[in-house]
Amino acid sequence: MDEEQKTLGLSNVNHLEKLYNGWFLDYASYTILDRAVPYFEDGLKPVQRRILHTLFEMHDGSFHKVAGIVGDTMHYHPHGDASIYTALVNMGQKNLLIEPQGNWGNPLTGDEAAAPRYIEGKLSDFALEVMFNPETTEWIPNYDGRSKEPVTLPAKFPILLAQGVDGIAVGLATTILPHNFKELCQASIDYLRGRKFQLYPDFFTGGIIDVSEYNDGERGGRLKVRARIEKLDNKTLVIREIPFGTTTDSLIDSIVAANDKGKIKVKQIVDHTTENVEIQIHLQAGTDPQVAIDALYAFTDCQTTLAANSCVIIDKKPKFSNTTELLKLSTDHTVKLLDWELDNELKHLQDQWHMTSLEKIFIEKEVYEVIKKAKTHDEMVELIDEGLKPYVRKLRREVTREEILKLAEIPVRRISRFDRKKADEFLAELDQKIEEVNYNKEHLTDYAVNYFKNILKKYGEGRDRKKRRANRRAPVAEPPEDHPPRQPEEEKRQEERRRAELGERVRDVELVLQHDPHRSREIQQELDHREQHEHRRHDESPAADGCRVAHGPQ
């Protein structure tokens, strides 16, 4: 007893340190691998994967109450219903893998979804096609051993880049921004064809982005996002699109705060946002609209900076990567899954051809007659095997005992109705399918390219880019091959419009300098100060260097 107390006593510092180091490392590994960081194979966190797996088990074509989905998911995710409900609503609002019905909230305004008993959801057609295949899924027991759950879903699409992800673990954080559906399909095709590609984020909120410091989404990359502000008249501005990560409520609050500090002169703010953003800003008399727009970008959330930190689980370890590498990894994984599916399809076709040919021999050659002579079950199997031997050379593999038993179970009615012509036609059809599968396996890259083209054609409608890239200091991507280059006349007209806008901008600045030089200098100083502050804040942020520490998993 004394020895046990000596070992477990609080005075034994070394023993406690060993326990702490071991337990904390286990806890940190758990939050990284099983809670907060997504796997590159399907781009999902465990809670998201378990929700989708549950929906696949429940799928019958109809909508299911979210309360029921949450309850069934708890068989696989033992961390409470709140985390499941939050993750489910988040995926439903993205309208990619889950088809929502009811009030799922409004991510533009920040309005929350209705209670889970009032809203419904089901898997989208896109999710059913690209996310599930039990034959190409690796399974493990769930937490209580009563069921099995997938290690990762066999996703044949870069879901990680399509949805984006944000997670905080112990000593590690990840932020991957969402990208455009069509551009991801085209980038995968370009990669398979050996062509260069470049990807930039795209947000459902729209707006304008500056990708000059994005650095391909690597750790330390930054992205400036701006609201799209239009001048309705000389006294009214309208915000049509907002920066990603903000809501209309938070944006209005920042404008009110700037107005209270005297940074901008606003008379009234009216929010008409429903499905689309529309925030009307009525300016005070004598306020220059262009100066007000500059002030909105300088002093409010109309301009923000997002940090990229692409960290994912690869080979069961967290690794930092970039957008290009993630797209390549996902595309290679898709090709591997397509090859696996072709192997399975080929096996099924060959088994079907073998069994059909065996039945044809069994019935045509009247091998079934030997069953009458058998006195025992084993003797019956032996007699059928002997009766088939003269004809097995026509088959492509050996006959097994299980197949002989299946032949013995063929009902008499089926034997009497056997049609040789139909059997020959069916075998010819199977031969054609086998030849087609073998061709696809030999030309796997072309097969994968056609797969992505088909996905783009079926599900790309209405998924055009929402976010526009800023011209200032932003790299310009090459036009897709499907689109012809702009004609000289069009470029000339656009250049003339840019020069006219630049002339108006210069006149506005000169007007401000004449009437209120102090105000103009204050705006410019604040813009410079905010840019320096954003750079300094990002450099000091733990999320930027992957060292953020939290007290618990998020």
Side-chain angles (χ1 to χ4, degrees), residues 80 184 284 381 405 541:
L184 289 174
Q284 293 185 11
V381 173
L405 293 176
S541 171

Side-chain angles (χ1 to χ4, degrees), residues 192-193 335 440-451:
L192 291 170
R193 292 301 190 197
V335 174
N440 289 334
K441 284 183 62 62
E442 293 174 0
H443 303 81
L444 190 59
T445 300
D446 293 334
Y447 180 73
V449 168
N450 291 331
Y451 168 80

Side-chain angles (χ1 to χ4, degrees), residues 250-397:
S250 66
L251 191 62
I252 291 172
D253 290 342
S254 70
I255 297 173
V256 172
N259 181 71
D260 294 341
K261 295 177 182 178
K263 302 297 184 180
I264 185 174
K265 299 177 181 179
V266 175
K267 181 179 179 182
Q268 185 183 20
I269 302 175
V270 183
D271 187 5
H272 295 296
T273 301
T274 52
E275 293 183 358
N276 299 312
V277 173
E278 183 180 348
I279 303 174
Q280 291 188 2
I281 304 174
H282 300 277
L283 305 175
Q284 293 185 11
T287 302
D288 183 85
Q290 188 58 53
V291 174
I293 292 175
D294 292 341
L296 287 171
Y297 289 137
F299 305 117
T300 73
D301 289 343
C302 287
Q303 176 175 305
T304 60
T305 300
L306 302 176
N309 190 30
S310 301
C311 180
V312 296
I313 303 299
I314 302 176
D315 295 330
K316 298 183 180 180
K317 295 179 182 178
K319 293 184 180 180
F320 292 96
S321 186
N322 56 51
T323 302
T324 300
E325 288 303 317
L326 290 177
L327 191 280
K328 291 180 179 179
L329 283 171
S330 175
T331 304
D332 290 338
H333 184 65
T334 298
V335 174
K336 177 183 175 182
L337 289 172
L338 290 173
D339 188 34
W340 193 354
E341 289 181 352
L342 287 173
D343 285 339
N344 291 336
E345 184 181 359
L346 182 61
K347 184 179 182 304
H348 294 324
L349 290 171
Q350 290 174 340
D351 290 344
Q352 199 171 9
W353 186 95
H354 176 77
M355 202 62 204
T356 303
S357 300
L358 201 57
E359 288 182 5
K360 180 184 175 185
I361 295 172
F362 182 74
I363 298 174
E364 270 190 346
K365 305 302 181 182
E366 298 183 350
V367 178
Y368 57 86
E369 292 290 345
V370 301
I371 298 177
K372 301 176 182 179
K373 303 176 183 179
K375 296 180 180 180
T376 64
H377 186 272
D378 291 337
E379 185 180 0
M380 177 192 69
V381 173
E382 292 177 2
L383 289 174
I384 294 176
D385 189 27
E386 288 294 328
L388 292 173
K389 278 184 178 179
Y391 314 104
V392 293
R393 64 181 183 275
K394 298 180 180 179
L395 304 175
R396 296 171 183 175
R397 60 178 173 84

Side-chain angles (χ1 to χ4, degrees), residues 512-513 516-523:
V512 172
L513 288 173
D516 194 354
H518 174 73
R519 180 65 176 151
S520 179
R521 285 195 300 273
E522 182 183 1
I523 290 176

Side-chain angles (χ1 to χ4, degrees), residues 1-12 15:
M1 184 68 179
D2 294 338
E3 187 66 26
E4 184 179 354
Q5 289 178 348
K6 182 179 178 181
T7 303
L8 299 178
L10 295 178
S11 61
N12 196 330
H15 179 68

Side-chain angles (χ1 to χ4, degrees), residues 160 185 236 386 430 434 524 535:
L160 180 64
C185 289
T236 309
E386 288 294 328
L430 290 175
I434 290 172
Q524 185 59 46
H535 282 262

Side-chain angles (χ1 to χ4, degrees), residues 465-480:
R465 168 168 279 274
K466 300 274 194 311
K467 183 73 72 171
R468 297 180 299 174
R469 292 200 301 274
N471 292 326
R472 183 176 63 88
R473 296 184 297 146
V476 179
E478 294 295 329

